[in-house]
Amino acid sequence: MRLSENDFPAIGLGTWQNTVPDECANSVQTALELGYRHIDTAHYYGNEESVGRGLQQSDIERDDVVVASKVHAEKFGLDYEGVIEGAKKSCERMNLERLDLLYVHWPVLQYDAEETLSAFEQLERDGVIDHVGLSNYSIDLLDEALSVLDETPLALQMEMHPFLHQDEILEYAQEHDIWLIAYSPLARGNVFESDVLQSIAEKHDVSEAQVSIAWLLSKDNVRVIPKASSEAHLRDNLNAVDLTLDEEDIKRIDNVDRQERYVERDDSPWLE
């Protein structure tokens, strides 16, 4: 599915840690039947087969769903052949002819912008993927990637939530017309402990999860992929699309002065 800056689903299903096969497949199926149209997985998650089964179990047309995966340095590798093999394996595991979106999971270890991204562009030319995505990049690495790629990547996936605003990265995404896909939008559940989010949630008679997601979606170029498995949580997260926060609510969360990452590795680009 060729996507544009106007038609990326506001909310998708993140599947990290959703590794029990039947539970994963059923949660994907349930999400699609509730109205989700973006499913996110990765080599590293070890659940691509289950995600694919959930897609097959659903009655939703394949072309109506954005399916994204990621190539990981410790799996197939980020050299040219590793990227090509990894993408084809993802399609094979999910029983798909193509991926709508494929990310570089982390630009680490054997990552080389020219070699790695040239493989992504070859996959795009060959029809194995529709769009290139980047994940967990620093500004410097983004500049390098954009200088190598013939086309601007569709999406940049980063951790983002009320305790990690990512202002610099967001501004970069907005300037270059890139979707910023916010993972861990509930800060690993920590939004439920925030006095600010509790207060706003009570004001609107919604959950803290909905407040966090609605705050993210109030930002230009931002989309979210909260992970959930139960139907109740899937519904609750999806309902955030219909929640409109007022300017005071948004400003209160904008003013939360915390910079807390919940996803990290020793060689993260921002630690250099």
Side-chain angles (χ1 to χ4, degrees):
M1 180 194 301
R2 291 299 299 179
L3 297 157
S4 74
E5 65 275 11
N6 298 316
D7 62 3
F8 204 102
I11 186 167
L13 175 64
T15 62
W16 182 67
Q17 292 185 323
N18 196 347
T19 55
V20 178
D22 287 346
E23 289 182 10
C24 180
N26 291 337
S27 66
V28 169
Q29 179 185 2
T30 301
L32 292 171
E33 292 172 351
L34 289 173
Y36 287 75
R37 292 296 180 265
H38 174 200
I39 306 297
D40 181 89
T41 183
H43 294 171
Y44 187 74
Y45 300 169
N47 62 7
E48 286 178 315
E49 294 92 341
S50 301
V51 168
R53 187 151 56 88
L55 291 165
Q56 304 302 322
Q57 289 173 183
S58 168
D59 292 331
I60 306 303
E61 293 292 332
R62 167 67 184 92
D63 286 344
D64 292 337
V65 183
V66 177
V67 181
S69 192
K70 311 176 194 72
V71 179
H72 198 273
E74 278 99 355
K75 292 293 183 177
F76 293 96
L78 295 176
D79 60 286
Y80 187 92
E81 294 301 329
V83 170
I84 299 293
E85 181 185 3
K88 292 180 177 178
K89 283 287 187 181
S90 287
C91 289
E92 180 182 319
R93 289 193 185 108
M94 288 188 275
N95 195 25
L96 300 176
E97 293 183 359
R98 72 181 199 290
L99 294 170
D100 299 285
L101 177 59
L102 183 69
Y103 295 93
V104 177
H105 203 157
W106 290 84
V108 298
L109 300 179
Q110 71 273 45
Y111 172 79
D112 176 83
E114 291 193 5
E115 180 176 0
T116 301
L117 297 176
S118 67
F120 274 72
E121 290 183 316
Q122 186 61 53
L123 288 165
E124 197 171 8
R125 287 191 294 270
D126 291 343
V128 179
I129 68 173
D130 288 337
H131 296 280
V132 175
L134 309 175
S135 184
N136 300 307
Y137 273 60
S138 64
I139 295 293
D140 288 344
L141 286 174
L142 285 170
D143 283 338
E144 180 187 39
L146 266 62
S147 73
V148 168
L149 289 164
D150 290 335
E151 296 183 3
T152 303
L154 177 73
L156 169 64
Q157 192 170 130
M158 301 290 291
E159 179 182 356
M160 185 178 176
H161 45 70
F163 313 134
L164 185 65
H165 290 180
Q166 296 283 23
D167 292 335
E168 186 179 13
I169 290 287
L170 176 57
E171 182 179 354
Y172 190 101
Q174 292 168 340
E175 288 178 355
H176 292 86
D177 290 325
I178 300 171
W179 286 112
L180 197 163
I181 311 299
Y183 72 76
S184 296
L186 308 185
R188 298 288 177 86
N190 285 280
V191 296
F192 295 99
E193 308 302 322
S194 165
D195 292 342
V196 171
L197 270 75
Q198 287 175 356
S199 173
I200 297 171
E202 183 176 352
K203 170 183 172 181
H204 292 276
D205 193 24
V206 296
S207 68
E208 293 84 357
Q210 288 185 42
V211 172
S212 184
I213 292 170
W215 172 76
L216 287 162
L217 293 177
S218 75
K219 310 297 182 183
D220 289 343
N221 290 68
V222 175
R223 294 293 186 253
V224 298
I225 49 169
K227 66 186 185 74
S229 55
S230 72
E231 181 173 344
H233 288 156
L234 288 166
R235 284 185 184 276
D236 189 66
N237 292 342
L238 188 60
N239 286 337
V241 175
D242 298 321
L243 172 62
T244 301
L245 301 178
D246 58 41
E247 291 184 10
E248 179 187 358
D249 300 328
I250 293 170
K251 186 174 181 180
R252 289 182 67 190
I253 301 175
D254 286 345
N255 289 335
V256 171
D257 188 19
R258 292 166 64 176
Q259 287 294 306
E260 298 180 14
R261 290 185 184 274
Y262 298 97
V263 180
E264 193 65 280
R265 52 182 290 159
D266 292 340
D267 53 0
S268 294
W270 43 84
L271 296 177
E272 295 179 0

